[in-house]
């Protein structure tokens, strides 16, 4: 009898100690005023993202989102860490301040930078989700997690924010004078293509509302006729994956 009670206690203790991994924030102490400003700007964004992913997109392992450092933005699977350097945060703001930046009415440089940064963090979190759940990805993972980031923003009624974030790719693209072999060899699609893919999902989410996004030049390619289907297919696929993560979270409760 005593043995049985001991075994039961052990099982209960083991169950209590099983928990799904949480995403948490760490901060590298800023070294100068610029880094301090970058930290002040990015910290609330990172915290919002962490609250969202801990609630909606659970992981097996603990993930650390680190602001500061020299590398990144990237996801390091060995350390289960997302790195967002201060220099990159400043870079995003610099790009949106450039005269080439086309911002929608009512969207400030700070707003656009915030949305751009959220997209980047969601992209890196997408890599973490794929790695953590060992999700099979057919095609380029970089494209898949770009889609993940844009979809999350659309699903949370932040489609206008997703559009402003996509502008970051367009601004990167403007800085390219010519392509060389390494651009095609790189793991990411070209910035102009990343912009176009985001545009297609945004348009596809509500073709009537976003009809103004497809100008004459784009309309000539007729891609928009597939965008709604692409949005629906990609939404369904990612929802299936996310449901799987939620089932696991409920089992761990
Ligand atoms: Zn990536």
């Amino acid at each position: 009898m005593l043995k049985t009670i001991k075994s039961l206690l052990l099982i209960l203790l083991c169950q209590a100690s099983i928990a799904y991994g949480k995403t948490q924030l760490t901060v590298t102490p800023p070294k100068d005023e610029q880094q301090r400003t970058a930290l002040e700007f990015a910290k609330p964004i990172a915290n919002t993202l962490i609250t969202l992913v801990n609630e909606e997109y659970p992981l097996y392992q603990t993930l650390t989102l680190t602001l500061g450092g020299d590398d990144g933005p990237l996801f390091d699977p060995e350390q289960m860490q997302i790195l967002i350097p201060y220099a990159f945060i400043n870079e995003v703001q610099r790009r949106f301040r450039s005269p080439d930046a086309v911002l929608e009415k009512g969207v400030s440089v700070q707003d656009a930078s915030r949305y751009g940064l959220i997209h980047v963090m969601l992209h890196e979190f997408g890599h973490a989700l794929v790695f953590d759940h060992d999700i099979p990805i057919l095609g380029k993972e970089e494209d898949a997690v770009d889609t993940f980031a844009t979809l999350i923003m659309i699903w949370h009624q932040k489609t206008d924010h997703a559009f402003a974030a996509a502008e970051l790719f367009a601004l990167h693209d403007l800085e390219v004078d010519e392509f060389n072999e390494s651009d095609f060899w790189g793991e990411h699609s070209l910035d102009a293509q990343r912009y176009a893919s985001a545009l297609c999902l945004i348009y596809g989410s509500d073709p009537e509302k976003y009809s103004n996004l497809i100008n004459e030049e784009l309309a000539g390619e007729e891609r928009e006729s597939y965008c709604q289907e692409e949005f629906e297919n990609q939404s369904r696929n990612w929802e299936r994956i996310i449901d799987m993560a939620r089932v696991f979270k409920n089992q761990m409760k």
Side-chain angles (χ1 to χ4, degrees):
M1 182 66 180
L2 191 64
K3 211 173 168 188
T4 318
I5 293 172
K6 266 187 182 172
S7 312
L8 269 173
L9 271 174
L10 194 67
I11 291 168
L12 284 172
L13 273 173
C14 284
Q15 280 188 341
S17 66
I18 296 171
Y20 59 91
K22 289 269 180 187
T23 299
Q24 60 195 18
L25 180 70
T26 62
V27 164
T28 312
K31 289 185 192 138
D32 53 35
E33 196 47 43
Q34 245 192 354
Q35 293 194 353
R36 229 182 316 278
T37 316
L39 170 62
E40 259 173 47
F41 180 70
K43 200 174 170 184
I45 301 169
N47 277 326
T48 307
L49 179 108
I50 286 169
T51 307
L52 172 81
V53 301
N54 279 337
E55 190 56 39
E56 305 265 339
Y57 313 109
L59 301 172
Y60 285 96
Q61 301 175 64
T62 296
L63 172 72
T64 306
L65 194 164
T66 302
L67 297 177
D70 297 323
D71 290 334
L74 59 82
F75 164 64
D76 174 356
E78 271 173 33
Q79 305 292 328
M80 266 313 268
Q81 198 176 22
I82 291 173
L83 302 173
I84 310 281
Y86 294 130
F88 176 77
I89 297 162
N90 291 327
E91 184 65 24
V92 170
Q93 289 173 306
R94 183 192 67 75
R95 284 213 155 91
F96 279 115
R97 265 196 300 269
S98 106
D100 291 326
V102 182
L103 301 179
E104 291 289 293
K105 228 178 169 182
V107 177
S108 68
V109 169
Q110 291 297 79
D111 290 339
S113 306
R114 191 173 301 115
Y115 309 150
L117 207 51
I118 289 171
H119 195 278
V120 170
M121 288 180 186
L122 281 169
H123 171 108
E124 299 307 338
F125 179 79
H127 282 303
L129 190 72
V130 166
F131 173 76
D132 188 71
H133 285 274
D134 198 16
I135 295 164
I137 297 289
L138 310 175
K140 285 161 95 171
E141 182 172 319
E142 293 299 336
D143 289 346
V145 298
D146 267 351
T147 297
F148 171 80
T150 303
L151 288 178
I152 299 293
M153 294 175 88
I154 295 173
W155 292 345
H156 288 87
Q157 279 82 45
K158 306 286 187 205
T159 311
D160 295 341
H161 299 189
F163 180 59
E167 177 71 10
L168 197 56
F169 296 129
L171 290 168
H172 269 268
D173 178 59
L174 284 177
E175 289 178 13
V176 179
D177 290 329
E178 58 180 64
F179 293 112
N180 52 44
E181 226 174 307
S182 63
D183 291 308
F184 301 108
W185 183 244
E187 54 189 340
H188 296 96
S189 294
L190 301 175
D191 288 313
Q193 291 176 304
R194 297 177 77 181
Y195 174 72
S197 296
L199 207 64
C200 184
L201 289 172
I202 292 165
Y203 170 79
S205 70
D206 192 340
E208 215 168 292
K209 186 173 177 188
Y210 297 108
S211 60
N212 61 326
L213 297 185
I214 309 297
N215 61 30
E216 268 177 38
E217 198 185 335
L218 291 178
E221 296 299 319
E222 293 180 4
R223 180 177 178 179
E224 72 278 11
S225 50
Y226 304 105
C227 288
Q228 193 169 3
E229 198 181 326
E230 192 163 324
F231 170 75
E232 284 164 6
N233 284 343
Q234 294 284 0
S235 293
R236 199 185 62 228
N237 292 343
W238 274 105
E239 271 163 9
R240 284 166 65 190
I241 285 167
I242 291 160
D243 280 350
M244 193 178 74
R246 288 187 186 139
V247 166
F248 143 76
K249 180 181 171 182
N250 289 333
Q251 283 170 348
M252 291 294 113
K253 271 182 180 166

